[in-house]
Every structure is written in structure tokens, then in C-alpha cells.
């Protein structure tokens, strides 16, 4: 069975957010989809280990903020590879509370939908929450949404281990060694340029500046492991 077939499915990239009492949290999600149009319903798949899952369970509400194609990787790393149990993810991010009381992300996003949970399905490691959309809107008409294919192929991003699409990457032999971040899974490929950090192709990992950090999660070089 070639699980790479799953990469051919079409996905977007979103921040799914919720609240519990007066606390807010959000995470990157690539599994959000419209279920019906009348009434408008939306489904998201959330890992049971994630804090956002706990908040959706508690409040019965969630918002989906659609990420723009131009979103920098550190923003994705902020919501996708850091835990809300350790710090407040919304402290340094522009947002507003929607009519349901959940946070809607206002930076690097082009549209939003907020919903109240009307059903849920236990899928083992994940729960699919189905919500009736209570409000939605456009935040920017000048940007395109980021697809998961673009995130993988152009941004060279990875799925966290708690994502429904996570797959362990096969080891391959290359002329120049690749290094993978043990925190978020980002792979530094010296034969490709790094648009996020301005690194030129052909720069070995060992030759990167001592203060170079992962463009996704901000981890330093000591957190990278050589592939192979």
C-alpha cells in the first residue's frame, strides 16, 4: 500500500480555534471541509491529544480561519508546532472574538467561519466535529488560500505527528546531507534555496551561521538531526 496516494487529496491549511472559559487556543489543521450548504455545516478533524480538542469539547464551538498563500512559515510554526499548554498563542497575534465568543485570526488569513458543534464522530486518534456555521466572512480579496500541496512542495513544510495526514518520511541518499528538525519535522535541503531565511542553494548545514534557526518553529541547530 502506497500511502503517498493520500498526498494527492486536496487540502487547505487553516487555524482552528476555540475557547474554554476565558482562555483561547488554536492550532494548524489541514482537514476542514464543508458538509452541507443548507443549513451550512462545516467539519474539522482534531487530534484528541491537542488542547484545541479539549476546548472544543468544553465550549461546543470552533472557528476556522483560512490561511493565505503568502503566510510566513514562522506563523504556521507558531500555531502548528507549539503547545498552547505552554504559552498563550493569541498573546502576540491579531484576532477578534466572533459572535460565538471564539477567536478569529486576523493576520495572514483571508476568510473565517465560526460554528457551533451539532455532532461529532470518534475516529480513534481524532474526533471529527461537525458544526453549524453561525457566521462567516471575507478578510481579504487580494490573497489566495494556501493549499496543503503548496505548503509541502513550495514551503517544504511537514505535518506534525498529531495531524491526520502525518507519515514518516522515507530515508533517501543524497549527495549533500539533509537535516531534519526534531521539533517540527522541517527538512533543510542544502541543494535547494530557502526562501524563508534567504539561504542560497549549495549551503551545507554545517556552514549555516551559529544563530540560524528553523524557519518553521524557531528551534536552533542543535535540534536538527542528519537524515540517512
Amino acid at each position: 500500500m502506497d500511502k503517498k496516494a493520500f498526498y494527492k487529496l486536496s487540502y487547505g491549511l487553516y487555524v482552528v480555534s476555540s475557547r474554554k472559559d476565558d482562555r483561547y487556543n488554536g492550532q494548524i489543521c489541514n482537514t476542514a471541509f464543508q458538509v452541507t450548504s443548507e443549513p451550512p455545516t462545516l467539519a474539522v478533524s482534531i487530534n484528541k491529544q491537542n488542547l484545541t480538542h479539549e476546548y472544543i469539547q468544553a465550549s461546543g464551538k470552533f472557528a476556522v480561519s483560512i490561511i493565505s498563500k503568502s503566510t510566513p512559515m514562522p506563523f504556521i510554526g507558531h500555531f502548528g508546532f507549539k503547545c498552547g499548554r505552554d504559552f498563550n498563542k493569541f498573546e502576540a497575534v491579531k484576532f477578534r472574538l466572533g459572535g460565538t465568543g471564539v477567536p478569529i485570526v486576523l493576520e495572514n488569513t483571508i476568510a473565517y467561519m465560526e460554528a457551533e458543534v451539532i455532532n461529532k464522530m470518534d475516529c480513534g486518534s481524532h474526533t471529527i466535529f461537525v458544526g453549524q456555521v453561525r457566521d462567516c466572512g471575507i478578510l481579504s480579496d487580494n490573497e489566495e488560500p494556501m493549499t496543503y500541496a503548496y505548503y509541502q512542495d513550495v514551503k517544504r513544510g511537514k505535518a506534525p505527528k498529531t495531524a491526520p495526514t502525518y507519515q514518516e518520511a522515507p530515508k533517501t541518499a543524497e549527495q549533500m546531507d539533509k537535516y531534519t528538525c526534531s521539533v517540527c519535522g522541517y527538512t533543510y535541503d542544502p541543494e535547494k534555496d530557502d526562501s524563508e531565511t534567504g539561504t542560497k542553494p549549495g549551503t551545507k548545514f554545517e556552514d549555516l551561521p551559529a544563530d540560524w534557526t528553523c524557519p518553521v518553529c524557531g528551534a536552533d541547530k542543535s535540534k536538527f538531526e542528519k537524515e540517512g
Side-chain angles (χ1 to χ4, degrees):
M1 183 166 59
D2 187 355
K3 291 186 177 180
K4 290 194 293 296
F6 285 98
Y7 291 151
K8 301 303 180 182
L9 290 173
S10 179
Y11 297 91
L13 214 60
Y14 318 95
V15 177
V16 175
S17 54
S18 189
R19 70 179 297 164
K20 183 178 181 181
D21 301 323
D22 60 348
R23 293 171 292 169
Y24 312 128
N25 194 62
Q27 67 166 76
I28 294 295
C29 174
N30 67 354
T31 310
F33 54 94
Q34 183 178 356
V35 181
T36 62
S37 58
E38 289 297 335
T41 54
L42 184 69
V44 294
S45 179
I46 306 295
N47 192 288
K48 294 177 181 177
Q49 299 178 21
N50 292 355
L51 186 62
T52 303
H53 185 282
E54 177 185 325
Y55 282 18
I56 296 176
Q57 287 273 47
S59 67
K61 302 170 184 177
F62 64 88
V64 174
S65 301
I66 302 173
I67 294 175
S68 71
K69 191 175 183 179
S70 62
T71 298
M73 290 296 279
F75 180 88
I76 298 173
H78 177 84
F79 279 104
F81 295 98
K82 296 180 180 179
C83 181
R85 295 183 178 90
D86 300 329
F87 75 110
N88 180 3
K89 293 185 181 182
F90 283 91
E91 188 173 17
V93 173
K94 294 179 182 178
F95 73 97
R96 69 173 174 84
L97 297 182
T100 62
V102 298
I104 296 167
V105 180
L106 299 179
E107 57 182 284
N108 297 310
T109 55
I110 61 173
Y112 71 92
M113 302 167 188
E114 51 178 322
E116 292 186 8
V117 176
I118 58 173
N119 206 343
K120 57 184 178 180
M121 181 184 301
D122 189 327
C123 297
S125 61
H126 288 65
T127 298
I128 294 178
F129 294 100
V130 179
Q132 185 167 337
V133 177
R134 298 305 184 189
D135 191 25
C136 56
I138 301 294
L139 298 173
S140 173
D141 280 320
N142 303 319
E143 292 271 4
E144 296 181 26
M146 182 181 292
T147 65
Y148 194 55
Y150 184 87
Y151 170 69
Q152 287 184 316
D153 298 339
V154 179
K155 294 286 192 177
R156 290 187 281 140
K158 303 292 184 180
K161 291 184 178 181
T162 56
T165 54
Y166 173 77
Q167 294 181 33
E168 187 171 355
K171 304 298 183 182
T172 58
E174 298 287 345
Q175 289 182 334
M176 301 179 72
D177 291 329
K178 297 179 181 179
Y179 284 75
T180 299
C181 179
S182 62
V183 177
C184 71
Y186 169 83
T187 298
Y188 176 78
D189 184 346
E191 296 189 3
K192 298 180 180 179
D193 69 310
D194 191 334
S195 59
E196 297 295 328
T197 63
T199 305
K200 295 181 179 180
T203 304
K204 294 182 179 179
F205 183 80
E206 296 86 344
D207 295 335
L208 292 172
D211 60 353
W212 183 90
T213 59
C214 176
V216 177
C217 68
D220 60 38
K221 292 178 65 177
S222 66
K223 299 296 183 181
F224 280 71
E225 300 172 352
K226 184 167 69 172
E227 293 188 355

